[in-house]
Amino acid sequence: MAIRRISSTIDVVTAARQRIKNVFRNGVPVYMSFSGGKDSLALAHLVYSLIQAGEIDPALLTVVFIDEEAIFDCIEATTKAWRKKFMLAGAKFQWWCIEVKHFNCLNQLSNDESFVCWDSRKAAQWVRQPPAFALRNHPKLRPRVDSYQTFLPRVTRDGIMLSGVRASESVQRLQYMSALNMGLKGMTDSNTIYPIYDWKTSDVWLYLRDQQVQIPEVYLQMYQVGVGKNRLRVSQFFSIDTVPVLVNLGEYDPSLMERVLRREPNAYLAMLYWDSEMFRRTTRTRKELEGEDDRDFRALLKEILFQKFDEYFDTPNKRRVAATYRGLFIRMEGMAQPKDYKRVYNGLMSGDPKLRTLRAIYLTVFTEYNKYAKSSAKGVK
């Protein structure tokens, strides 16, 4: 199997398996986050195959699936199939259908945590019905207050969490990013391990193909309507980084689109205004319609982040994200190019609740600066 190597002696699949085995050797409870998406499936198959091989103890494992209600039907079917696999193998599987807040970029374009999954006040409009076996509450849950990111640590504190989050960059870049403290929790949590963090998207697809792992049908449907293979994301529909699925959803699943619109009437905005600043788009079509944007984005960011911070960011979540962007802006001084400030502005103003855009900008700016510094040093010599 032609898998990218991370050193001269080990490939990324072998490295991931070793990381997983090291986690189980601690003898403490192990929780594995599962979403039904491609990265999650790759991690699940790695863990499941090690259980089958007798190399890890399934009694230590609890698979955790946070059902965000507004998901594809095929994701639900895929998750049910893997639930059965893990339970038959001797692991536990927690399927949570609970009232947690979720980011919603369609709520007056504020990208706040206004969407409540499984909102008991809107049961008639639910996109789907929860499975009969789903967990609906917990003593440590604050319904309608918690997000799943704040709730899960309370119920997994006694063990180690496995996550399928990837850096999509080289190991060296991730280590460099983690070494600098930017408060980016989720990349460096002390009790969370990322066994496939150094895999590229191509590694994931190659692994799933070679291991004959069945993927949710929506990936094929999205690809057929022109979604690029690097943009094939399946998650809750209303975050800024996952809302693109709504643009073509009516083409390949009109029934689901009807249910989504009933639950969130503003979902039509994605179809009408997809190619605009509202959704961070910078395509040729947009440039032709709007012309070149020659604003001084560095000056705009200084004004927004330092002089008018409270005016622009009026919710706790907005202020949290903006404060992290402000830290990035300070660190970029003297290293960034005008195009970098434009990317920061677009990411900040359109919303970046999980800080994915910020991490990408961070890596790009500092990697390019390091290359420039090294080439300059060679020139001096």
Side-chain angles (χ1 to χ4, degrees), residues 165 167 173-190 192 194 320-329 331 352-364 366:
V165 170
R173 288 182 188 179
L174 181 65
Q175 289 173 338
Y176 179 63
M177 179 182 72
S178 299
L180 296 175
N181 180 18
M182 292 191 63
L184 297 182
K185 295 179 180 178
M187 293 299 291
T188 56
D189 287 317
S190 59
T192 304
Y194 306 92
R320 177 186 62 82
V321 173
T324 310
Y325 267 81
R326 185 164 55 188
L328 174 65
F329 179 85
R331 289 174 173 82
D352 186 18
K354 297 183 180 179
L355 299 175
R356 288 194 178 108
T357 299
L358 181 142
R359 289 196 292 266
I361 297 170
Y362 182 91
L363 288 169
T364 299
F366 285 90

Side-chain angles (χ1 to χ4, degrees), residues 253-298:
D253 199 336
S255 173
L256 178 57
M257 188 64 189
E258 284 185 25
R259 286 180 277 148
V260 169
L261 286 169
R262 184 176 67 238
R263 181 69 163 91
E264 176 48 80
N266 286 335
Y268 76 93
L269 291 172
M271 294 180 287
L272 291 180
Y273 301 110
W274 172 236
D275 202 8
S276 71
E277 183 178 3
M278 182 187 300
F279 295 109
R280 296 195 198 127
R281 298 286 284 172
T282 56
T283 62
R284 181 181 302 174
T285 301
R286 178 186 164 193
K287 289 178 181 178
E288 291 174 354
L289 291 172
E290 300 179 4
E292 291 293 333
D293 192 342
D294 56 359
R295 288 178 291 175
D296 185 341
F297 289 99
R298 180 178 175 276

Side-chain angles (χ1 to χ4, degrees), residues 72-337:
F72 291 99
D73 297 327
C74 59
I75 294 293
E76 178 181 7
T78 296
T79 305
K80 284 182 177 178
W82 278 92
R83 174 179 179 267
K84 184 176 181 180
K85 280 175 177 281
F86 278 112
M87 293 182 70
L88 287 174
K92 295 177 284 296
F93 198 108
Q94 296 179 348
W95 188 309
W96 295 95
C97 290
I98 48 180
E99 289 185 282
V100 288
K101 295 192 300 183
H102 203 290
F103 296 107
N104 183 7
C105 71
L106 300 168
N107 183 39
Q108 300 178 353
L109 306 183
S110 62
N111 204 48
D112 61 5
E113 291 180 310
S114 62
F115 183 86
V116 177
C117 300
W118 306 107
D119 190 340
S120 58
R121 302 171 188 173
K122 299 181 179 180
Q125 287 81 45
W126 284 347
V127 176
R128 300 165 32 255
Q129 292 299 311
F133 52 75
L135 300 171
R136 302 303 310 279
N137 209 336
H138 191 277
K140 295 183 179 180
L141 172 70
R142 296 174 299 174
R144 310 180 66 85
V145 175
D146 282 329
S147 64
Y148 73 82
Q149 293 95 337
T150 58
F151 166 67
L152 271 185
R154 299 192 200 117
V155 295
T156 61
R157 199 180 302 276
D158 61 332
I160 301 173
M161 174 69 77
L162 295 178
S163 172
V165 170
R166 296 182 296 114
S168 293
E169 296 287 350
S170 70
V171 179
Q172 291 77 15
R173 288 182 188 179
L174 181 65
Q175 289 173 338
Y176 179 63
M177 179 182 72
S178 299
L180 296 175
N181 180 18
M182 292 191 63
L184 297 182
K185 295 179 180 178
M187 293 299 291
T188 56
D189 287 317
S190 59
N191 70 328
T192 304
I193 304 297
Y194 306 92
I196 64 170
Y197 76 112
D198 49 353
W199 289 32
K200 291 184 178 179
T201 301
S202 57
D203 294 327
V204 174
W205 287 122
L206 183 59
Y207 179 83
L208 295 175
R209 186 201 70 179
D210 288 352
Q211 298 298 321
Q212 299 183 345
V213 179
Q214 186 168 351
I215 62 173
E217 185 181 12
V218 66
Y219 280 119
L220 303 177
Q221 294 170 331
M222 292 170 69
Y223 188 73
Q224 287 171 344
V225 298
V227 179
K229 60 183 179 181
N230 290 326
R231 295 191 294 112
L232 294 173
R233 295 186 57 83
V234 292
S235 182
Q236 197 261 14
F237 300 140
F238 307 132
S239 290
I240 189 66
D241 47 0
T242 55
V243 75
V245 299
L246 296 177
V247 177
N248 303 113
L249 181 58
E251 294 184 49
Y252 51 79
D253 199 336
S255 173
L256 178 57
M257 188 64 189
E258 284 185 25
R259 286 180 277 148
V260 169
L261 286 169
R262 184 176 67 238
R263 181 69 163 91
E264 176 48 80
N266 286 335
Y268 76 93
L269 291 172
M271 294 180 287
L272 291 180
Y273 301 110
W274 172 236
D275 202 8
S276 71
E277 183 178 3
M278 182 187 300
F279 295 109
R280 296 195 198 127
R281 298 286 284 172
T282 56
T283 62
R284 181 181 302 174
T285 301
R286 178 186 164 193
K287 289 178 181 178
E288 291 174 354
L289 291 172
E290 300 179 4
E292 291 293 333
D293 192 342
D294 56 359
R295 288 178 291 175
D296 185 341
F297 289 99
R298 180 178 175 276
L300 277 172
L301 285 167
K302 284 186 69 174
E303 179 183 15
I304 292 169
L305 292 171
F306 296 94
Q307 300 170 19
K308 299 182 178 180
F309 188 90
D310 291 334
E311 179 181 334
Y312 277 89
F313 310 109
D314 55 0
T315 68
N317 175 62
K318 287 182 183 179
R319 286 192 285 271
R320 177 186 62 82
V321 173
T324 310
Y325 267 81
R326 185 164 55 188
L328 174 65
F329 179 85
I330 293 171
R331 289 174 173 82
M332 285 171 54
E333 284 291 273
M335 291 185 271
Q337 301 297 316

Side-chain angles (χ1 to χ4, degrees), residues 4 6-7 10-26 30 43 46-47 50 56 160 162-163 165 171 174-175 193-199:
R4 180 174 58 90
I6 61 173
S7 74
I10 189 170
D11 61 64
V12 293
V13 175
T14 303
R17 288 179 178 138
Q18 189 59 53
R19 292 169 190 144
I20 293 168
K21 287 191 286 186
N22 288 344
V23 168
F24 278 83
R25 286 191 183 117
N26 288 283
V30 178
L43 177 59
L46 286 166
V47 172
L50 289 172
I56 59 176
I160 301 173
L162 295 178
S163 172
V165 170
V171 179
L174 181 65
Q175 289 173 338
I193 304 297
Y194 306 92
I196 64 170
Y197 76 112
D198 49 353
W199 289 32

